[in-house]
Amino acid sequence: MGKRKEKSILKPTSHKRQRQEYTDEHSEESNEEENSSSSPGSNCFSLSTVGEVGIIESIQLKNFMCHSMLGPFRFGSNLNFVVGSNGSGKSSVLTALIVGLGGKATATNRGSSLKMFVRDGETSADISITLRNQGRDAFKPELYGDSIIVNQHISLDGSRSYRLKSESGTLISSKKEELIGILDHFNIQVDNPVSVLTQEMSKLFLQSKNESDKYKFFMKATQLEQMKEDYSSIMITKENTCIQIEQGVERLQELKLLYCEKRERYKSIGLLNEMQNHLEDLKHKMAWAVVSEMEKEIQPIEEGIRAEERNTKKFVQKVEECQAKVNEAEEKYKAIQDKLITISEEAQALHPQCISLKTDVQARRKAVNEAEVLYNRFKTEVKRLEKDDEQLRKRIAELKSSANQISEPEKLERQRRIAHLREQLKEFHNEEIMIGQQVNQFQQAIYKCKEEHTRLKREECDMKRALDAKQKQLRELKDSKTNTLKRFGPHMPAFLEAVETAYRQGCFKHKPVGPLGAFIHPKDTELTLAIESCLKSLVQAFCCDNYSDERTLQQLMQKYYPHGFRPQIIVNKFQNTVYDVRHRGVNHPEFPSVLTALEIDHAVVANCLIDVRGIERILLIKSSRKAREVMQLNKPPQNCREAFTAEGDQVFERRYYSSDYVRPKFLSKDVEAEISHLEEEIENKKKQMMAFQQRLYSIENEIKQNEHHLNGHRSHQKPLQVKIRTTNAEITDLENMEEHQSVDIRTLEDEAEENKGKMESVKKDMQEQSRKMEELKNILQVAERKFEEMKEKIHQVEEIAGPIKDELNEADSEVGNSKHLLQHYQDKQKEHLACIKRHKDLLAAKEKELEEKTAQARQVYPERIEVSRTVKSLDAEMNRLREKINSENNRHGSREEIIQQFHDAKQRYEDANSKVKHLKKFIKLLEEIMTQRLKIYRQFLRLLSLRCKLYFDHLLRIRACSGKILFDHKNETLSIKVQPREEDKAALHDMRSLSGGERSFSTVCFILSLWSITESPFRCLDEFDVYMDMVNRRIAMDMILKVADSQQHRQFILLTPQTMSSLPMSSRIRIFRMQDPERGQRTLEYRNRKQEEDQ
């Protein structure tokens, strides 16, 4: 791949910021942190660049291996470390990278099948990988943008699917070929161990002592192995081509001999004149024999036409009788319909009176309740006065019988005290009356609120039912976006599939057609509601050819529809052509009929709607004002029975019915608009529901407040009554002390008289109130009786309407049956007339054919020949003669055949000769190209080996070691010799004699050498330092950092169980710290450790 575009990512900012680390959500040690300081050991470039294409921006796993959710890991553009304990999921990330980019399960060394990567207990796993796609080397940037998202879904059965998305998440492709094209464009090789070195491959490579394995590793890493295999395949193809050339040369000799043979036969051609002349004579006789036989065929056709024409009158009579029955049934239906409309209007007229009477009853009942409250108040007052009178009389009697004397001052003090107590008692009585009135007011308020609460509750239930219906309709509309048949009911697709299955099994003579609405399409969308209001339930109806099919369809419907909710079934003889209704349909210059306003896909559907609904006689007028003018102010147009407006209103000559439909439900083309309207209605309904609930809540609070006030007044009323009794008792006690005072006795006697007068007055008021209360009760009874009578009257009207509806249904059925019978005989009549027409057409065709045959015979032989032989015998003799002529032609060959065979043989010979020449030329050119390519291949192998050796030696010198790589290309082996720094540099040791750390360090140097000679946008290593000690690990890490710093256009992803705490601070380094292994892993959450420490 060409050189990548590069750009700087370093900024002249602070040199002391923390390195980026990423960790699981449960880690308490470190969170995401960033720095932008340069690496201490970085001295290769002063200007950093980042890769623009092919590097991994992020990876996320779901239900993969043992992780329910892992990631997303947002990798940096240069150096990335994934660190964590063994089992924390580091290798899962690398495994997902290989599998997610199309690698095989076996390439991961983690499983033999993809299904092994699905987490236990789950049905599938998902991998999402984002690749950078920027710069001039971007892959289809106009489609994918700056990033390519590769989503892979792995099922439990081991299958997988790809979804390639753009930066914005738009699906671009789901083909694996597209992914392969992207990987080839970016030079990504997930099966190349230098690009992606897994944990198992790393351990195997570190422990391997086989020199052949190392050589294979080198060849695969540099793609020389693939090049070698390609060259081998080309050489096999060359050998096969040489074999084809040899076979072609042999075939060429055969074709040359055939060509010479045909050329000789071309020179010898003979003629057979005598047999040809006899054949011509037989042809003359054959021409006139055909004419004679056709004349005999015409005679029975003419006799059949005459017989059929005699039966035509019978069919005309039957059709007229059936038409009379249809007219009679329609008149009966119309009369019953008018009667039902009259009764319905009468019932509607009674409803306002019923509401008025109900209001009157409520007002009267309220007046009675108020009168009862006042009466009870008077009654309570009388009881109190009687009690006071009894106490006064008792006190007077006690004073008269007492002989004790008291002093004058004490007497005056008692009188003042009594007067004061009486004033208090009067205030207490007034307060008690006021509290009683307030209690009554609160009771009335609570009663009214409870009535309002009950009414609102009822309205809330109605609104909730309406809301549920709208939400159900919305769900059906949304389902219809994927399947338009669901607009006609959720069971419709399954039901139609059952009908199709039954038809294939031979259960139907003719396949039923339906729903009818699926076959009709309004030409003008503004008339959709009008058409739907006109057709009503016919939109969901089905049409059958015969009653046997109708019964079978009914049985099928029982499985999918409950009784009472099944679509209508119409039995109508199927025809392939639409009825000719030009003479009986409405034809208005300005407004279309329902028939002309529809595009109908099926002739059966059109005929069915004409028979059942008469759509050819119904006008569609958008304006209701214009519809009234056309239908009511003037005489309706000819053949026009009714009209519908754009709002769905139905207009007759003398009647006008408003539509119950607001919007079309089945025929609307703009499903999105319907969904939008329904969502707005549902939102409005929800707002109304919320308002209702707020109102209910307000009324409930008001009831609670009134009950609270009522209870407060009642609780205050009881202590007040106690005070009244206490005050009365105290007055009585004080009055008892004035036993011998005659003036006090007279005062008490006067008070008793006054109390008696009050009592008489209150009794009169109580009697008057009792009379008023009885009058109000009588008025209430009258109002209730009138209200019940009105309700009974409405009920009677509704009961009368019930049988009339049944009669209307019977009349409708009778109309349908009459029309069906009429249609039957009309079809019979049409069939009879069509039969006559067919016979006449056949006769005309036969006569025309006779004329043509006669003309042809005259052309063959002008004079008529009387032939006694049949056409069959003449034809047999002609065939025998032709066979004889053909036999002679076969023996000698016809002139045309001999010429054609000669040219064919010549053409095949020339084509084969040209093909052999081109193949020989191709083989010669291929040999030259392969010689040159093999020379370049060996040169390329030598140069790559040399670069690898030099870079390996350079890397070993960093640790003050020496060594070399020995290539044996003939035996295909690779051996590594290393001399540790503390030993004699002249003696090189094989890697088997090195310690584990030294061998791991040498292997890392070898891998870095391979990195220097291979192209790939990213490098991945898993546990590269597994066998190193701390010194070798630090040196190897410094080497990797330098390589990463010198190759900032590439991405490095290193997986290690080490903490990497000793790494230098750099914005190019990111560390992803994995959570320690535990059950129930969840999504990684990244937090800024710097912010956490500041807090």
Side-chain angles (χ1 to χ4, degrees):
M1 195 171 74
K3 186 177 180 181
R4 305 176 187 277
K5 291 178 68 176
E6 301 177 349
K7 61 180 182 180
S8 173
I9 60 167
L10 291 181
K11 299 178 182 179
T13 55
S14 172
H15 292 276
K16 291 295 180 180
R17 285 178 57 192
Q18 292 178 334
R19 179 177 57 252
Q20 292 180 339
E21 291 188 0
Y22 300 85
T23 182
D24 288 349
E25 61 179 353
H26 301 295
S27 175
E28 297 178 357
E29 296 180 358
S30 61
N31 294 312
E32 180 182 351
E33 299 167 1
E34 292 189 4
N35 67 54
S36 60
S37 64
S38 300
S39 172
S42 176
N43 55 6
C44 293
F45 296 102
S46 61
L47 182 65
S48 299
T49 59
V50 296
E52 294 182 330
V53 293
I55 71 170
I56 301 168
E57 292 185 343
S58 68
I59 183 170
Q60 183 172 6
L61 317 179
K62 180 180 178 183
N63 298 330
F64 188 79
M65 297 181 72
C66 60
H67 306 280
S68 61
M69 184 65 73
L70 197 61
F73 296 92
R74 306 197 183 278
F75 292 115
S77 60
N78 189 219
L79 188 56
N80 301 270
F81 289 91
V82 181
V83 302
S85 304
N86 290 329
S88 61
K90 303 188 302 299
S91 297
S92 299
V93 177
L94 199 59
T95 302
L97 178 62
I98 296 173
V99 175
L101 292 180
K104 297 180 181 179
T106 53
T108 65
N109 296 315
R110 289 282 177 154
S112 58
S113 175
L114 290 175
K115 63 184 179 182
M116 300 177 69
F117 296 126
V118 180
R119 189 176 184 229
D120 291 343
E122 302 294 340
T123 59
S124 63
D126 293 282
I127 304 170
S128 178
I129 300 173
T130 303
L131 301 176
R132 182 169 295 175
N133 189 45
Q134 300 175 6
R136 65 184 180 185
D137 293 331
F139 182 81
K140 298 180 182 179
E142 68 282 357
L143 286 178
Y144 289 98
D146 291 342
S147 297
I148 298 176
I149 302 173
V150 181
N151 288 341
Q152 183 174 154
H153 180 80
I154 303 173
S155 302
L156 197 56
D157 59 358
S159 63
R160 62 180 171 185
S161 60
Y162 298 93
R163 293 172 68 84
L164 304 177
K165 299 181 180 180
S166 67
E167 180 184 19
S168 60
T170 305
L171 179 64
I172 303 300
S173 176
S174 56
K175 297 181 179 179
K176 186 177 180 180
E177 290 77 7
E178 180 80 359
L179 175 62
I180 293 172
I182 293 171
L183 298 180
D184 289 343
H185 186 81
F186 292 161
N187 199 24
I188 295 175
Q189 308 156 33
V190 293
D191 57 347
N192 190 333
V194 172
S195 294
V196 181
L197 187 62
T198 62
Q199 181 177 344
E200 296 298 325
M201 182 64 74
S202 176
K203 291 179 180 178
L204 181 64
F205 184 69
L206 290 174
Q207 295 174 351
S208 175
K209 301 176 181 178
N210 192 325
E211 296 177 348
S212 297
D213 291 342
K214 290 185 175 65
Y215 187 84
K216 290 178 182 178
F217 189 86
F218 167 78
M219 294 292 287
K220 188 172 183 180
T222 56
Q223 293 186 306
L224 292 172
E225 182 181 2
Q226 181 64 41
M227 191 182 298
K228 184 178 179 182
E229 291 175 356
D230 292 342
Y231 290 164
S232 299
S233 176
I234 292 172
M235 295 307 293
I236 292 171
T237 304
K238 176 193 168 186
E239 292 174 1
N240 294 334
T241 306
C242 291
I243 294 171
Q244 290 180 4
I245 291 173
E246 293 175 0
Q247 294 173 351
V249 171
E250 294 175 0
R251 176 64 178 161
L252 185 62
Q253 294 299 324
E254 296 175 1
L255 291 175
K256 186 175 181 180
L257 293 174
L258 180 64
Y259 165 64
C260 294
E261 179 186 349
K262 297 298 179 183
R263 187 175 57 187
E264 292 298 324
R265 289 191 61 190
Y266 176 68
K267 299 175 181 179
S268 58
I269 299 174
L271 300 174
L272 303 171
N273 292 329
E274 186 177 350
M275 285 187 288
Q276 290 288 356
N277 292 334
H278 184 51
L279 182 62
E280 286 297 320
D281 185 49
L282 288 176
K283 287 181 180 179
H284 299 163
K285 292 180 180 180
M286 172 67 82
W288 287 106
V290 169
V291 172
S292 299
E293 287 192 358
M294 286 201 68
E295 288 174 346
K296 292 177 183 178
E297 290 178 3
I298 288 174
Q299 186 177 357
I301 296 174
E302 291 176 341
E303 292 176 356
I305 290 173
R306 287 193 291 272
E308 290 290 341
E309 286 177 343
R310 287 193 293 271
N311 294 329
T312 303
K313 293 182 180 179
K314 296 180 182 179
F315 285 103
V316 173
Q317 184 179 356
K318 279 288 185 183
V319 169
E320 290 175 351
E321 290 176 0
C322 291
Q323 185 64 54
K325 288 182 180 179
V326 169
N327 295 337
E328 183 182 351
E330 285 181 343
E331 289 176 1
K332 181 180 177 183
Y333 177 82
K334 187 176 181 182
I336 296 172
Q337 188 182 38
D338 293 341
K339 186 176 179 182
L340 181 62
I341 290 171
T342 304
I343 292 172
S344 300
E345 290 174 351
E346 182 181 348
Q348 291 293 330
L350 291 175
H351 277 294
Q353 299 179 28
C354 181
I355 293 171
S356 176
L357 289 173
K358 182 179 179 181
T359 305
D360 184 53
V361 166
Q362 290 174 348
R364 299 295 182 188
R365 187 175 289 116
K366 180 180 177 182
V368 168
N369 291 336
E370 291 175 352
E372 284 182 349
V373 170
L374 191 58
Y375 174 77
N376 291 332
R377 194 176 299 146
F378 285 139
K379 191 173 181 181
T380 304
E381 183 67 15
V382 167
K383 288 181 179 179
R384 185 185 65 78
L385 291 172
E386 286 177 348
K387 188 174 180 181
D388 290 347
D389 183 67
E390 183 181 355
Q391 290 177 350
L392 286 171
R393 291 182 183 281
K394 185 177 179 182
R395 179 62 179 163
I396 291 170
E398 289 175 354
L399 286 174
K400 286 182 177 181
S401 62
S402 175
N404 295 328
Q405 297 293 325
I406 57 176
S407 64
E408 187 67 24
E410 290 177 349
K411 182 178 178 181
L412 291 174
E413 182 62 27
R414 282 197 300 273
Q415 288 176 354
R416 283 196 301 273
R417 179 62 180 166
I418 290 171
H420 176 68
L421 290 174
R422 289 188 186 281
E423 287 295 328
Q424 281 187 345
L425 185 63
K426 186 176 180 181
E427 291 177 0
F428 290 158
H429 279 304
N430 292 336
E431 187 176 355
E432 183 185 19
I433 293 170
M434 182 181 69
I435 290 174
Q437 292 174 348
Q438 290 177 346
V439 166
N440 184 42
Q441 290 174 357
F442 284 123
Q443 287 175 338
Q444 291 293 328
I446 291 170
Y447 175 75
K448 288 180 180 178
C449 288
K450 286 184 176 180
E451 279 191 341
E452 179 71 11
H453 186 272
T454 304
R455 182 184 65 81
L456 289 176
K457 269 288 185 185
R458 188 166 54 251
E459 292 182 6
E460 183 189 23
C461 291
D462 295 340
M463 189 170 292
K464 192 173 186 305
R465 282 193 294 271
L467 178 60
D468 292 340
K470 292 288 183 186
Q471 289 175 335
K472 180 182 177 183
Q473 187 179 354
L474 178 61
R475 287 194 298 272
E476 292 176 355
L477 267 180
K478 288 184 177 179
D479 289 341
S480 70
K481 289 172 67 178
T482 56
N483 190 340
T484 54
L485 291 174
K486 287 189 177 181
R487 298 197 72 177
F488 302 96
H491 305 295
M492 188 60 71
F495 176 64
L496 287 177
E497 188 175 346
V499 170
E500 180 67 30
T501 303
Y503 176 67
R504 287 198 297 267
Q505 293 173 354
C507 300
F508 294 104
K509 296 179 182 177
H510 296 275
K511 181 182 174 181
V513 178
L516 302 185
F519 296 90
I520 61 177
H521 314 285
K523 297 177 182 177
D524 188 348
T525 55
E526 294 182 10
L527 296 174
T528 304
L529 179 57
I531 293 170
E532 203 164 299
S533 300
C534 171
L535 299 181
K536 293 185 173 67
S537 61
L538 290 176
V539 176
Q540 297 176 279
F542 282 76
C543 186
C544 291
D545 176 74
N546 52 75
Y547 286 99
S548 174
D549 289 351
E550 187 255 353
R551 286 191 294 273
T552 305
L553 191 62
Q554 283 281 12
Q555 293 173 359
L556 272 179
M557 282 186 180
Q558 291 176 3
K559 300 177 183 178
Y560 294 90
Y561 295 95
H563 184 70
F565 295 92
R566 296 172 190 166
Q568 182 181 354
I569 301 177
I570 302 163
V571 180
N572 198 20
K573 193 70 176 176
F574 286 3
Q575 292 189 16
N576 295 328
T577 57
V578 182
Y579 297 151
D580 185 2
V581 294
R582 288 176 292 181
H583 300 295
R584 56 191 175 97
V586 61
N587 186 13
H588 196 278
E590 187 177 353
F591 307 112
S593 66
V594 177
L595 179 61
T596 58
L598 287 174
E599 290 181 359
I600 304 178
D601 299 337
H602 206 297
V604 171
V605 176
N607 294 339
C608 180
L609 294 177
I610 290 171
D611 288 336
V612 177
R613 190 66 181 91
I615 59 174
E616 80 282 7
R617 301 171 60 191
I618 302 173
L619 278 179
L620 297 176
I621 305 171
K622 293 182 181 180
S623 170
S624 58
R625 180 184 61 80
K626 195 69 177 176
R628 290 179 184 271
E629 290 178 3
V630 173
M631 296 297 296
Q632 296 178 347
L633 296 181
N634 303 313
K635 185 179 179 181
Q638 186 180 0
N639 296 331
C640 182
R641 188 179 67 189
E642 56 186 299
F644 282 86
T645 68
E647 291 80 16
D649 298 343
Q650 190 176 13
V651 187
F652 290 94
E653 186 177 359
R654 295 184 179 85
R655 300 186 304 278
Y656 188 99
Y657 298 105
S658 297
S659 173
D660 295 332
Y661 298 92
V662 179
R663 284 189 308 278
K665 181 180 179 182
F666 303 103
L667 303 180
S668 175
K669 294 181 181 178
D670 193 354
V671 180
E672 292 294 340
E674 290 297 312
I675 291 174
S676 177
H677 284 309
L678 269 178
E679 287 176 344
E680 287 179 6
E681 285 189 8
I682 289 171
E683 191 63 31
N684 292 335
K685 289 283 184 186
K686 287 181 177 178
K687 290 179 181 177
Q688 293 178 10
M689 283 283 293
M690 192 176 296
F692 264 90
Q693 290 170 354
Q694 290 176 353
R695 177 64 180 151
L696 282 170
Y697 180 73
S698 174
I699 290 175
E700 288 171 356
N701 286 340
E702 189 175 347
I703 291 172
K704 289 178 182 178
Q705 290 176 2
N706 288 333
E707 287 178 344
H708 175 71
H709 291 311
L710 178 62
N711 293 332
H713 281 74
R714 283 178 174 169
S715 62
H716 185 60
Q717 194 176 29
K718 290 180 181 179
L720 190 62
Q721 291 173 351
V722 172
K723 288 181 181 179
I724 292 172
R725 287 196 297 271
T726 304
T727 305
N728 280 325
E730 189 176 354
I731 291 172
T732 303
D733 292 341
L734 289 172
E735 288 175 345
N736 287 338
M737 296 177 66
E738 301 178 358
E739 297 172 350
H740 301 288
Q741 299 297 324
S742 59
V743 177
D744 293 338
I745 291 173
R746 283 197 298 272
T747 303
L748 289 175
E749 288 175 347
D750 293 341
E751 187 176 345
E753 287 298 325
E754 183 182 354
N755 191 57
K756 186 176 180 181
K758 285 182 180 179
M759 189 166 56
E760 291 296 329
S761 174
V762 172
K763 282 182 178 180
K764 269 185 190 178
D765 292 341
M766 186 177 70
Q767 290 173 356
E768 180 65 24
Q769 189 63 32
S770 177
R771 184 183 60 77
K772 287 182 180 180
M773 186 173 65
E774 289 300 323
E775 290 177 357
L776 289 173
K777 284 183 177 180
N778 293 333
I779 294 171
L780 175 61
Q781 290 176 357
V782 172
E784 287 177 341
R785 187 168 61 254
K786 287 181 180 179
F787 177 56
E788 291 297 328
E789 289 173 356
M790 181 58 65
K791 284 168 64 178
E792 182 64 26
K793 192 173 181 181
I794 292 173
H795 180 66
Q796 290 174 357
V797 171
E798 290 176 349
E799 284 185 345
I800 293 170
I804 295 175
K805 287 180 181 178
D806 296 337
E807 290 180 17
L808 185 65
N809 292 333
E810 291 177 2
D812 186 37
S813 177
E814 186 178 349
V815 169
N817 293 334
S818 301
K819 284 185 176 180
H820 176 71
L821 191 60
L822 173 63
Q823 185 65 40
H824 172 72
Y825 282 108
Q826 284 177 342
D827 292 343
K828 287 287 186 182
Q829 184 184 24
K830 289 178 183 177
E831 186 178 347
H832 175 71
L833 295 174
C835 182
I836 295 174
K837 187 175 183 300
R838 284 197 302 272
H839 287 167
K840 287 183 177 180
D841 293 342
L842 179 62
L843 177 62
K846 289 288 185 183
E847 290 176 345
K848 185 177 180 181
E849 187 178 358
L850 177 61
E851 292 176 1
E852 292 174 355
K853 293 295 182 183
T854 304
Q856 291 174 3
R858 292 191 187 280
Q859 289 178 358
V860 174
Y861 195 74
E863 295 182 4
R864 179 157 183 164
I865 302 173
E866 295 298 330
V867 183
S868 59
R869 296 175 63 181
T870 63
V871 173
K872 188 175 181 181
S873 65
L874 288 170
D875 186 56
E877 186 176 353
M878 290 172 68
N879 288 334
R880 285 195 299 272
L881 188 58
R882 286 193 187 98
E883 288 176 1
K884 193 172 181 181
I885 293 171
N886 291 334
S887 176
E888 291 296 325
N889 286 333
N890 290 335
R891 191 156 60 96
H892 297 286
S894 65
R895 184 174 181 276
E896 292 80 8
E897 288 179 356
I898 291 172
I899 294 172
Q900 183 65 39
Q901 289 175 2
F902 167 69
H903 287 299
D904 291 345
K906 182 180 179 182
Q907 184 67 37
R908 287 199 297 272
Y909 172 70
E910 291 175 350
D911 291 344
N913 191 27
S914 175
K915 184 177 179 181
V916 169
K917 287 181 180 179
H918 282 96
L919 285 175
K920 288 180 178 179
K921 186 177 179 181
F922 168 73
I923 288 298
K924 183 178 179 182
L925 180 63
L926 183 62
E927 287 177 348
E928 294 175 357
I929 293 172
M930 286 304 299
T931 302
Q932 182 67 21
R933 282 188 173 272
L934 287 172
K935 181 179 178 182
I936 295 172
Y937 166 75
R938 294 187 187 98
Q939 183 180 3
F940 193 45
L941 177 60
R942 183 175 58 81
L943 291 175
L944 288 178
S945 303
L946 181 60
R947 285 181 60 191
C948 186
K949 288 179 180 180
L950 293 174
Y951 207 81
F952 181 75
D953 181 65
H954 167 72
L955 293 173
L956 286 178
R957 291 180 186 278
I958 295 174
R959 197 187 172 198
C961 298
S962 62
K964 61 181 177 179
I965 299 176
L966 300 177
F967 286 94
D968 186 351
H969 297 300
K970 182 177 180 180
N971 296 319
E972 295 186 347
T973 60
L974 184 153
S975 58
I976 300 175
K977 303 292 183 179
V978 179
Q979 175 61 53
R981 60 182 178 273
E982 67 274 4
E983 299 182 9
D984 183 11
K985 294 185 179 180
L988 296 177
H989 294 273
D990 188 85
M991 287 184 67
R992 286 174 289 187
S993 63
L994 300 177
S995 65
E998 290 171 340
R999 186 166 58 249
S1000 297
F1001 173 75
S1002 302
T1003 306
V1004 169
C1005 292
F1006 177 56
I1007 291 173
L1008 293 179
S1009 302
L1010 292 178
W1011 279 3
S1012 68
I1013 62 174
T1014 58
E1015 288 288 335
S1016 180
F1018 59 82
R1019 324 280 198 188
C1020 299
L1021 288 181
D1022 190 0
E1023 297 197 4
F1024 62 94
D1025 54 353
V1026 65
Y1027 295 113
M1028 294 184 187
D1029 55 18
M1030 291 303 296
V1031 175
N1032 287 310
R1033 183 178 293 112
R1034 186 178 66 255
I1035 294 173
M1037 186 57 59
D1038 290 341
M1039 291 164 56
I1040 291 174
L1041 290 176
K1042 288 182 179 180
V1043 170
D1045 186 58
S1046 64
Q1047 298 181 15
Q1048 294 183 19
H1049 59 282
R1050 289 197 179 92
Q1051 184 184 46
F1052 299 84
I1053 301 174
L1054 307 178
L1055 285 70
T1056 175
Q1058 307 303 322
T1059 60
M1060 295 292 110
S1061 59
S1062 62
L1063 286 177
M1065 306 298 176
S1066 175
S1067 61
R1068 296 180 293 96
I1069 300 175
R1070 288 194 184 183
I1071 297 179
F1072 297 85
R1073 193 174 304 282
M1074 305 295 292
Q1075 178 188 359
D1076 289 339
E1078 61 179 46
R1079 297 185 180 274
Q1081 284 97 332
R1082 301 178 62 190
T1083 308
L1084 292 175
E1085 292 184 1
Y1086 305 136
R1087 295 171 293 173
N1088 193 299
R1089 187 173 66 186
K1090 184 176 181 181
Q1091 295 177 359
E1092 190 179 68
E1093 290 175 352
D1094 292 343
Q1095 292 176 0

